[in-house]
Amino acid sequence: LLSRQLTIDRLHFDGLELHLPPEKTPSEPSPPLLPDIRAPLDVTITDLQGRNIRIVPAEGQPIEIDAIDLKARMAADGIKIDNLAVKSPLAEARLSGQANPTGNYPLQFDLDWQAPLAHYGVFHGQGKVQGELRDKLTLTHQITGPATLQLDAEVRKPLTEAAWSAKAKLDIPDLKPFA
């Protein structure tokens, strides 16, 4: 720690259950504050694996996660996620990218996912979000499966006066599964 570096080579856990407190309702909505976050030391996570995770909200149904895997680092230049993979009974997703939690919060993330939907089949998604969280984000996303969707969107001032524009192209070759 004297070198201001922390490396977690391996952290594995199984059977974690998290109970969340009730949500507090703010008296008056206000835009979220985004302080500049500077890590006091560089943190590298080489191999984090969690299995059989259950998140229990104060109200509603528990969220079951079969597996989570993470390889990431945080340093002066921001957060870099080499791989974040999540698998649950509902879907599987993989995320990679980077963000700098200072200034306008520049970021760039890639997402791949798949979800089996009863009566419809398996849908696959692939997308990218990039830009600055305080200014403008662009999103591209493509979904394939029994239906295909191509989405290109832009959100300006996402945290304060959000305004967006989007272009979507939907193709459903067979409407029978959706009837």
Side-chain angles (χ1 to χ4, degrees), residues 61-74:
Q61 295 297 314
I63 300 164
E64 305 284 340
I65 299 173
D66 297 329
I68 186 167
D69 297 307
L70 175 67
K71 180 179 181 184
R73 73 173 184 85
M74 182 170 183

Side-chain angles (χ1 to χ4, degrees), residues 25-85:
T25 54
S27 56
E28 188 175 310
S30 60
L33 295 174
L34 289 179
D36 284 353
I37 299 172
R38 300 192 196 300
L41 59 136
D42 293 354
V43 178
T44 301
I45 300 171
T46 305
D47 178 20
L48 181 144
Q49 294 181 18
R51 301 294 181 261
N52 302 309
I53 302 162
R54 185 176 175 167
I55 302 170
V56 183
E59 297 178 20
Q61 295 297 314
I63 300 164
E64 305 284 340
I65 299 173
D66 297 329
I68 186 167
D69 297 307
L70 175 67
K71 180 179 181 184
R73 73 173 184 85
M74 182 170 183
D77 61 346
I79 300 164
K80 182 170 189 323
I81 299 173
D82 293 317
N83 180 49
L84 171 61

Side-chain angles (χ1 to χ4, degrees), residues 96-171:
S96 63
Q98 55 196 17
N100 186 341
T102 61
N104 283 338
Y105 277 60
L107 57 86
Q108 180 273 315
F109 288 103
D110 295 312
L111 172 68
D112 291 301
W113 60 269
Q114 70 176 20
L117 298 177
H119 311 293
Y120 301 108
V122 178
F123 285 85
H124 300 270
Q126 187 173 42
K128 178 183 290 260
V129 62
Q130 59 189 14
E132 295 181 335
L133 194 53
R134 287 191 177 164
D135 184 33
K136 179 176 76 173
L137 295 174
T138 58
L139 169 78
T140 58
H141 202 85
Q142 183 170 350
I143 298 172
T144 58
T148 61
L149 172 69
Q150 176 64 45
L151 175 68
D152 295 300
E154 178 180 282
V155 181
R156 294 166 303 286
K157 303 290 182 195
L159 299 177
T160 55
E161 303 165 10
W164 61 275
S165 61
K167 182 174 97 176
K169 180 182 176 187
L170 177 64
D171 182 26

